[in-house]
């Protein structure tokens, strides 16, 4: 059943296992948003199904809009065909989003959970592309062996950013240490982003926008890492304090 007032999401994959798994993953961070898996064919084979996608859109549509994320090109074609069969009013509420299925789907789910608009949910999903580009620039790209950044690089960036917290000199900031045993993984990161989204002011975590789930997760903060929470907005003190208190509490899981 769809959740009134919230954007619904449909994950279209050639594999039912992938679509179901993505719903299970995103559900950890978006417990009340409507997340629908439309993976595989009608009889469980690898492929996509017009009927499953059409039913998924109908299930996810509570009137606030539906974002459809797909894995491969033919999945997009199936989704586009499903949209063609909707009436004009329903079609106007649906967007097929060009975004990475997993990263974009999780970011979109958190935005939907926070009650954001369809366009904001779409933007959250698409931010996964921007995040990947930023990460490539920061690391100088993969080397010839395809190895990623050495372990600890993200922590070093976080420490460097924390040390340079003077950017908030005209605003307000607090610095704490992360207490979560497993670090700032997906679930506490989602809690942070959802809380930040309740305030109109911009807040940063170690220089990263606190409303960007992928940005926060990419910080790679582990237990004991410095967390610099800052806002240059003169009205941002309440937001900084609220996020600091949530972090100090271990996001309910430390």
């Amino acid at each position: 059943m769809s959740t009134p007032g919230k954007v619904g999401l449909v994950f279209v994959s050639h594999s039912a296992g992938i679509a179901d798994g993505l719903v299970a993953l995103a559900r950890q961070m978006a417990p009340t948003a409507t997340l629908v898996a439309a993976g595989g064919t009608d009889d469980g084979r690898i492929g996509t199904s017009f009927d499953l996608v059409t039913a998924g859109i109908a299930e996810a549509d509570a009137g606030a809009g539906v974002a459809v994320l797909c894995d491969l090109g033919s999945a997009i074609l199936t989704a586009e065909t499903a949209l063609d069969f909707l009436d004009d009013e329903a079609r106007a509420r649906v967007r097929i989003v060009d975004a990475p299925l997993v990263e974009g789907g999780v970011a979109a789910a958190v935005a939907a959970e926070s009650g954001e608009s369809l366009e904001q949910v779409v933007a959250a999903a698409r931010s996964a592309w921007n995040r990947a580009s930023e990460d490539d620039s920061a690391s100088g790209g993969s080397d010839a062996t395809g190895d990623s950044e050495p372990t600890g690089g993200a922590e070093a960036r976080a420490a460097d950013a924390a040390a340079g917290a003077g950017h908030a000199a005209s605003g307000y900031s607090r610095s704490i240490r992360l207490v979560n045993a497993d670090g700032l993984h997906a679930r506490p990161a989602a809690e942070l982003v959802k809380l930040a989204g309740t305030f109109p002011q911009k807040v940063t975590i170690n220089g990263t926008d606190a409303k960007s789930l992928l940005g926060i997760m990419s910080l790679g903060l582990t237990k004991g890492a410095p967390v610099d929470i800052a806002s240059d907005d003169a009205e941002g003190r309440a937001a900084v304090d609220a996020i600091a208190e949530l972090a100090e509490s271990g996001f309910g899981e430390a």
Side-chain angles (χ1 to χ4, degrees):
M1 178 179 294
S2 57
T3 304
K6 292 187 177 180
V7 172
L9 300 178
V10 180
F11 301 133
V12 183
S13 172
H14 283 65
S15 164
I18 289 176
D20 291 341
L22 180 53
V23 168
L25 173 64
R27 180 65 67 205
Q28 296 296 308
M29 293 158 272
T32 68
T34 302
L35 310 174
V36 182
T41 63
D42 295 341
D43 56 1
R45 291 178 292 109
I46 295 296
T48 56
S49 161
F50 168 84
D51 289 339
L52 286 176
V53 175
T54 300
I57 292 172
E59 181 181 349
D61 187 7
V66 177
V68 181
L69 287 90
C70 307
D71 61 355
L72 299 171
S74 57
I76 297 173
L77 293 176
T78 302
E80 289 175 340
T81 303
L83 261 64
D84 288 341
F85 279 79
L86 297 176
D87 61 46
D88 292 344
E89 184 177 348
R91 189 185 307 112
R93 294 194 296 269
V94 182
R95 301 284 186 279
I96 298 174
V97 186
D98 181 16
L101 182 61
V102 177
E103 292 89 344
V106 169
V110 172
E113 178 71 19
S114 300
E116 296 190 0
S117 69
L118 176 59
E119 298 311 319
Q120 289 171 315
V121 170
V122 169
R126 288 175 174 164
S127 72
W129 291 127
N130 297 333
R131 196 67 236 169
S133 298
E134 291 170 6
D135 288 348
D136 285 346
S137 292
S139 66
S142 299
D143 61 24
T145 65
D147 292 338
S148 58
E149 182 181 32
T151 301
E155 293 178 35
R157 291 202 305 274
D160 291 344
H167 73 279
S170 61
Y172 178 69
S173 66
R174 287 179 59 177
S175 295
I176 65 170
R177 294 276 176 177
L178 191 67
V179 300
N180 292 65
D182 296 326
L184 195 60
H185 61 87
R187 189 180 304 159
E191 293 303 315
L192 190 158
V193 170
K194 285 188 282 187
L195 178 59
T198 65
F199 294 92
Q201 298 83 16
K202 181 176 181 179
V203 176
T204 60
I205 306 296
N206 293 357
T208 295
D209 186 354
K211 298 177 184 179
S212 169
L213 176 66
L214 299 175
I216 295 301
M217 291 178 65
S218 70
L219 291 173
L221 299 179
T222 58
K223 183 178 182 180
V227 182
D228 180 61
I229 309 156
S231 177
D232 289 332
D233 192 319
E235 304 296 324
R237 181 174 186 135
V240 171
D241 282 339
I243 293 172
E245 290 167 10
L246 178 66
E248 288 175 331
S249 75
F251 302 91
E253 66 172 22

